[in-house]
Amino acid sequence: MPVVMDADRIGRTLTRIAHEIVERNKGVEGLAIVGVRTRGVHIARRLARILKEITGDDVPTGALDITLYRDDLMRHAVGPQPLVRRTEIQFSIDNRTILLVDDVLYTGRTTRAALDALIDFGRPNAIQLVVLVDRGHRELPIKADYVGKNLPTAREESVQVRLMETDGTDEVVLQPFDAAQGKPGGGA
Amino acid sequence: MSTPVTPDVQPQPEVTALRHKDLLGIADLTPGEISLVLDTAEAMKEVGLRPIKKVPALRGKTVVNLFFEPSTRTRTSFEIAEKRLSADTLNIAIASSSVVKGETLADTAMNLEAMSPDMIVLRHASSGACHLLSRICKSAIINAGDGLHEHPTQALLDAFTIRERKGKLAGLKVAIIGDLLHSRVLRSNIYLLTKMGADVWICGPPTLVPTDIRRLGVQVTSQVDAAVRDADVVMLLRIQLERMEGAFFPSLREYFNVFGMTEERLRFARPDVMIMHPGPMNRGVEIASEVADGPYSVILDQVANGVAVRMAVLYLLAGGAEHEEAA
């Protein structure tokens, strides 16, 4: 069960991404961060903290639950509905540049759902995608603007991002199919 | 300015799905399932605060609102909930239906079923009408009030409103006062509140107390002051003038004098008491206007929360009854 990123590596990676964000956007004016539940929200809050350290400015941060926008809802004849959690975006996204943050970029379907959900909140100037890990295997034409680590994977493998806030540790783990309790995938 | 975001530290709820095809009553639900509906409703409430109050979750699903009794609040609330989830909705009211031409409920249902809706929201004057439909229809049946039996979504929205204010249901004293005999809202609320650990007191004229109601685990009294004393929640039930065929009490004026909720009577309740009413209100009968419009009243919050709770029920039931491993 190889650890592909440890706590130090995750910390340095987020700092590097924060600098890239400042460089590309010439500061943080007009920026807002929206994390995709669950782990994207924690990464989003960490990025907001680092951006504050770098620039001294607060960047508004929100949480997006994409469940009601999933493209696989109601696709199974019968089955339990995925849990819906609260979306909290307490600022107008109109005319801002939104940094959409997720832990793993995989098929791109979560990102597609997140884009649709965001557009229902208003009309941002631009949306830029931030991911901690890009594991490939895109099924939709979606590309990240800021990538923590490009991680070549097989579809049968599973990428687990564990964060202090939810899992008590900071690491990214690549699990082969068997160790993942028969469940392929991980991230979307 | 930084915006606070609640971290996602809620533990995974123990119950993650409604294991039912239909919502016929609160009696069928476990405490875990009730919590799941209330938690889901919290997320749904946020959808109603967005600039675009619509999510695509139930796109392509057809929901029939079949109302055999007059209803404004409940029917409108269901319809808004369905539209916010992007379902296609169809309203059938008694005045325009074949029932006036003599068709039975079962025939009406089977004809609707032939057009394959996904869900039917039913209000009917007969207790058990939803159970009948549930047996003959493949569609999910949602009970929007059946006779004197149950009105589950009302109890769920009441619980949601209480939990929103008090942060919990367990241990609260809830006094329910009014027409206990003709109230399906009462029955659903008793099931729900006792399952969630609240201390439920019911109060009304002895002629309007159903026999054996004590067996549901509630305190029964005809003394309003005893019911209201130290109550966290006071819920008034409508005197259902349209169902009053016998002489249950001498006059509406006398009812108000003995049971009507006034500021005077509320002195005995806790200082942060909530006043609730499922509507429609008879001002000056079960509730004084000064109480209905007063600072403790959450009556309009109940209406607002009704949409979120019904969205949660529609969403959770749309998955179907059989449960395989989560996708």
Side-chain angles (χ1 to χ4, degrees), chain B residues 3 35 44 52 58 64 78 92 130 202 240 269 285 310 319:
Chain B
T3 323
S35 295
M44 294 298 182
I52 296 178
L58 294 198
V64 175
F78 266 110
I92 301 177
C130 295
I202 63 171
Q240 306 202 30
V285 181
R310 290 176 176 119

Side-chain angles (χ1 to χ4, degrees), chain A residues 38-115:
Chain A
T38 300
R39 288 176 183 75
V41 177
H42 302 306
I43 298 173
R45 301 181 83 200
R46 291 187 191 189
L47 276 175
R49 269 202 304 277
I50 301 169
L51 287 170
K52 165 97 175 173
E53 282 165 19
I54 297 173
T55 66
D57 293 325
D58 284 317
V59 181
T61 305
L64 184 65
D65 184 287
I66 56 101
T67 310
L68 297 169
Y69 290 82
R70 280 171 59 151
D71 61 5
D72 56 351
L73 276 182
M74 317 296 170
R75 291 280 156 171
H76 312 284
V78 283
Q81 295 280 67
L83 281 179
V84 187
R85 296 190 189 275
R86 278 179 72 90
T87 290
E88 296 175 75
I89 301 179
Q90 287 153 355
F91 47 86
S92 167
I93 71 167
D94 283 340
N95 303 315
R96 283 187 198 267
T97 294
I98 304 297
L99 296 161
L100 179 65
V101 181
D102 204 354
D103 54 353
V104 180
L105 178 59
Y106 181 28
T107 61
R109 289 176 189 271
T110 301
T111 305
R112 195 284 311 165
L115 291 173

Side-chain angles (χ1 to χ4, degrees), chain B residues 180-243:
Chain B
L180 308 171
L181 185 59
H182 299 105
S183 179
R184 54 197 174 208
V185 175
L186 172 73
R187 235 158 298 263
S188 288
N189 262 305
I190 289 178
Y191 287 132
L192 193 154
L193 292 167
T194 54
K195 277 176 201 239
M196 302 308 278
D199 178 23
V200 183
W201 287 60
I202 63 171
C203 173
T207 47
L208 287 174
V209 177
T211 48
D212 278 359
I213 194 88
R214 273 194 181 80
R215 291 212 308 220
L216 298 181
V218 296
Q219 305 276 348
V220 184
T221 178
S222 51
Q223 303 297 317
V224 173
D225 293 350
V228 170
R229 188 174 304 280
D230 295 326
D232 297 283
V233 178
V234 172
M235 188 184 295
L236 290 322
L237 296 177
R238 194 166 68 91
I239 295 302
Q240 306 202 30
L241 303 168
E242 72 279 11
R243 295 193 213 267

Side-chain angles (χ1 to χ4, degrees), chain B residues 36 165 263 266 327:
Chain B
L36 173 66
R165 289 284 173 119
E263 282 184 345
L266 274 181

